[in-house]
Amino acid sequence: MATPDRFPLPQVTETTRKPEWLKVRLPHGDGYERVKAIVKRTKLATVCEEARCPNIAECWGGGTATVMLMGEVCTRACRFCHVKVGAPPPLDPMEPIHLAQAVKEMNLEYIVVTSVNRDDRPDGGASHFASAIRELRRESPRTIVEVLIPDFKGVEKDLTTVAEAKPHVVAHNVETVERLTPTVRDRRAHYRQSLRVLEYLKRRPEGLYTKTSVMVGLGETDAELEQTFKDLRDVGVDVLTLGQYLQPSQYHLRVERFVTPAQFEAYKALAESYGFLYVASGPLVRSSYRAAEFFMKGLMERERLERLG
């Protein structure tokens, strides 16, 4: 554990009123409007809109977007998430092709593909993910493809299906510290299982970059956060994003505290001391965050140039 004098963390103050630093401007700009028009015309389901992401204008205007596969109904009921829960519809076998065509038209530099949990499917939807990855890489070979996947119940065969399709980055979110996992996530989601998923993907021969995200403001302690950073690095996670949890409705978990920008900076320094390739930490940081994606794009470009000699 890091010593307090090495990384002093500002004192936490609790409030239920949304602070000034969480207010954002309405999205606008030519790049944003162009992507918005294509998304609307192609009926693409984007997390950017569904989750009302505060960074939508920055991402869409800068050539990044996050899309959701396999419908908008989830088989799990995590207590922080606003996605509908129930019996999902059948998968659309043409979805991977339509997704790739839309992304090609948007001319995106970076695409994040995520999904609801589909525990109703024999493979959790892993083969559908793999089809989408292959179509995206065929139609847009210059676009970096990141997938933010469910845990697939920890089944290695299904994780292999996704890995062998060769996304550039594979992400799976632990969401919170170990103690709070049973309260925050669905009962089928386990902290240690998520760590095993990330470790398995990192150790595979494809050489994938791995990424995860943690929300703060749910009642975690600084010591628990630090232990989480350590656990994640122990399984080889490359990129970490830290952001503020915001209660999506009165029926979801309440915010226990609003973490200040100064505290996020302290968490960033602490996490970086464990050796992550990149840490994005701030009140408005989300799983898919353009600064982290910009870093990955630069890293991969440097690797490409090194291979060329």
Side-chain angles (χ1 to χ4, degrees):
M1 303 288 282
T3 56
D5 59 339
R6 188 159 67 95
F7 290 103
L9 297 174
Q11 183 178 357
V12 172
T13 57
E14 295 187 3
T15 178
T16 56
R17 182 178 300 173
K18 188 178 291 188
E20 189 68 28
W21 61 77
L22 285 172
K23 296 179 181 177
V24 295
R25 299 176 182 175
L26 291 173
H28 66 284
D30 292 343
Y32 165 78
E33 294 297 339
R34 182 180 66 83
V35 173
K36 181 180 178 181
I38 296 172
V39 166
K40 183 177 180 180
R41 176 167 49 77
T42 59
K43 298 180 180 179
L44 202 62
T46 70
V47 176
C48 317
E49 292 178 302
E50 295 291 334
R52 299 176 183 176
C53 180
N55 306 306
I56 186 170
E58 178 187 357
C59 291
W60 284 13
T64 297
T66 301
V67 299
M68 190 159 64
L69 290 175
M70 302 194 286
E72 300 173 4
V73 180
C74 189
T75 56
R76 297 190 186 182
C78 295
R79 296 165 187 84
F80 68 90
C81 184
H82 203 219
V83 173
K84 299 173 185 175
V85 179
L91 295 182
D92 175 4
M94 295 299 293
E95 184 179 43
I97 295 173
H98 293 157
L99 167 63
Q101 291 170 343
V103 169
K104 182 179 181 179
E105 183 178 354
M106 286 188 280
N107 195 29
L108 296 177
E109 297 179 1
Y110 202 111
I111 181 71
V112 181
V113 182
T114 188
S115 76
V116 292
N117 282 278
R118 290 299 300 257
D119 295 309
D120 59 310
R121 304 291 301 177
D123 67 350
S127 57
H128 199 74
F129 253 108
S131 294
I133 295 165
R134 288 191 292 267
E135 291 293 340
L136 285 165
R137 297 206 63 172
R138 179 161 46 244
E139 291 290 335
S140 302
R142 293 184 178 275
T143 300
I144 294 176
V145 178
E146 175 182 321
V147 289
L148 173 56
I149 63 171
D151 59 23
F152 298 122
K153 301 178 182 177
V155 177
E156 292 183 358
K157 175 173 63 70
D158 299 331
L159 295 169
T160 297
T161 297
V162 173
E164 288 182 341
K166 296 185 179 179
H168 297 92
V169 182
V170 60
H172 171 65
N173 290 343
V174 296
E175 308 292 7
T176 188
V177 300
E178 185 168 15
R179 175 180 60 87
L180 295 177
T181 295
T183 302
V184 174
R185 302 171 71 188
D186 184 272
R187 59 181 175 78
R188 287 161 286 186
H190 305 284
Y191 179 83
R192 293 290 159 182
Q193 178 168 279
S194 288
L195 291 179
R196 288 193 294 272
V197 165
L198 289 162
E199 183 174 33
Y200 178 76
L201 291 165
K202 186 60 188 176
R203 290 184 175 180
R204 286 195 51 78
E206 291 81 12
L208 304 172
Y209 287 104
T210 54
K211 178 180 173 183
T212 197
S213 184
V214 176
M215 300 175 291
V216 296
L218 285 160
E220 68 288 330
T221 67
D222 291 338
E224 288 174 324
L225 275 176
E226 182 166 8
Q227 183 60 52
T228 303
F229 301 158
K230 181 180 184 302
D231 291 343
L232 293 170
R233 279 302 298 145
D234 284 347
V235 298
V237 171
D238 296 305
V239 176
L240 170 67
T241 65
L242 293 166
Q244 173 70 53
Y245 166 68
L246 296 175
Q247 184 178 0
S249 82
Q250 62 179 323
Y251 303 107
H252 291 79
L253 291 172
R254 70 183 185 92
V255 177
E256 294 295 329
R257 61 171 174 140
F258 287 111
V259 178
T260 66
Q263 287 165 339
F264 272 110
E265 284 300 311
Y267 289 148
K268 177 181 173 69
L270 181 57
E272 287 176 338
S273 73
Y274 282 95
F276 292 98
L277 288 181
Y278 185 80
V279 178
S281 178
L284 297 176
V285 169
R286 295 296 178 261
S287 302
S288 303
Y289 188 64
R290 189 164 183 260
E293 290 151 11
F294 186 77
F295 169 82
M296 295 307 302
K297 182 175 180 292
L299 178 64
M300 292 175 195
E301 179 62 19
R302 289 194 298 273
E303 290 179 346
R304 186 185 70 82
L305 293 175
E306 288 173 1
R307 287 194 298 270
L308 292 174

